[in-house]
Amino acid sequence: MSLWTSLEPASATVDPGGSTTVRLRLRNTGDVVDEYRFEAVGSLAPWTVVEPQSLRLYPGTTGSVDLTFTPPRTPDATAGPNPYAVRITPTEYPEATTVPEGNVTITPFAEVRAELIPPTVKGRFRGRPRLAVDNVGNTKLTASVSGSDNGDQLSYDIHPSSVQIEPGRAAFVKMTLKPRQIIWFGSAEHRPYTLAVQRSGVTPLEVEGTYVQRGFLPRWLAAFLSIFLALAITFVMLWIAYKPQVRSAATEKPQEAGISTLPPAPSPPLEAPKAPSAGVTAPPAANETEQAGGDEAEAGGGGSEEKETKAPEKTAATAVQQLAAEDPSGRHICYRVYAAGQGWTDAVCDGEEAGTTGAGAPLKAVNIAVSGTKGTSGGAFVHNPASTNGTGHYPEPWTNAADGVDNYLGSTEKDAPNMLGFSISVDAGKGTVCQSAYVHNDAWLNLACDEPGAGYDFTYSGTHDNDLWIEAIKLRV
């Protein structure tokens, strides 16, 4: 079997979301009639259509097929040169397969999305929102974040102030908003502000939020202090106006005595004090030893032994309850992980990273708590030593917890299996929860969310491979 092939053109260019066509010409240079089957291979194969899929040629004749490339406008369509190939298999001689190769260059496009979590924060001295920046383009994104408001009423502490995000990834920017003036009394004031995601040569992407500044002292306390001060001033004025007059009669008696014409009566003679009787003795003095002993007994009886108390464990529920107290109307999720050889990490919230990346420490358990989502439920997917298909399993039924209550997935017991991943839902599958996990020897997985309206009432974070595990997670609602 002999076959001649040619790609026209050998290199092509296509825009994401568009299409381009390359023609494959071939000639049967053999001496028998043969039928050829065509199959696209390589990274572009999912977006390649071959028409027709088979072609029958007589000896010495030429035919052609069209290869149409339609890469989507998503981060998966990597910008730059992308090699491809077409496998040509003859029916008469299937072992004589030919694979011509070509190249398609996908043009770059940039698209960024940003979201404030939460869009409204409340506080007396500061607010701590987070900005999620998603790179949905097919090239690496470099951007800086700045804040502004009307009247320059807020100051902004942004960390990090600039980010670099790979295609299909997201970055979380933490910030602290501080009012320049404190409201001592009165009702809360709404202070709108704007965060700008700036890129070189592109109009900044603006995200608007609101900081609700509360008064330092509540209004009822200000009214109480005003009434108390008024009553105190009234009392002092009444005291000064109606102060009782105290007069002594010692000056009046001598005046009356000076007016009298009677001679003064003689004074009785004074008697000398008598000596005490010989039979009477003075009471005995207190014994010094008894006095000292009494003092010591008094001092000893008043002491008490102090008992040491152990501080309560700070769980995910502790962290989410603090957030709920600051923002009762918001939606929050807090979580911590139990890593092998490291124990429980500190609880983090709303998209922050829990765990370690690249250290090789597998997660054994996850502690989750939510507020404003009507509870959470989930189950741990762990290593299965008895697996026959290379995947893990769910050893325990799903667990449920209400808002503000700890939910535990996995086990912290000795020799507990590694967590490959876990499933999670909120509001009995009616709410939305998003997740991302770092898989051992891999990287951060794309941020994924459940879609209650589309029939997906939970989301899965991690891998199913029995030989891998997860090392860190990020959650947000």
Side-chain angles (χ1 to χ4, degrees), residues 212-231:
V212 180
Q213 184 181 358
R214 297 170 175 168
F216 180 73
L217 296 176
R219 298 177 63 183
W220 65 265
L221 182 59
F224 173 79
L225 293 177
S226 300
I227 296 174
F228 178 80
L229 181 61
L231 291 176

Side-chain angles (χ1 to χ4, degrees), residues 338-353:
Y338 188 93
Q342 300 180 11
W344 285 110
T345 64
D346 293 336
V348 298
C349 305
D350 298 335
E352 294 184 283
E353 177 181 334

Side-chain angles (χ1 to χ4, degrees), residues 40-65:
V41 294
S43 60
L44 298 182
W47 311 319
T48 307
V49 177
V50 182
E51 293 180 348
Q53 295 183 348
S54 63
L55 187 65
R56 185 178 181 87
L57 294 177
Y58 288 90
T61 60
T62 302
S64 64
V65 296

Side-chain angles (χ1 to χ4, degrees), residues 196-218:
V197 181
Q198 300 175 339
R199 294 175 292 156
S200 177
V202 180
T203 302
L205 174 63
E206 295 185 347
V207 183
E208 296 182 352
T210 302
Y211 173 65
V212 180
Q213 184 181 358
R214 297 170 175 168
F216 180 73
L217 296 176

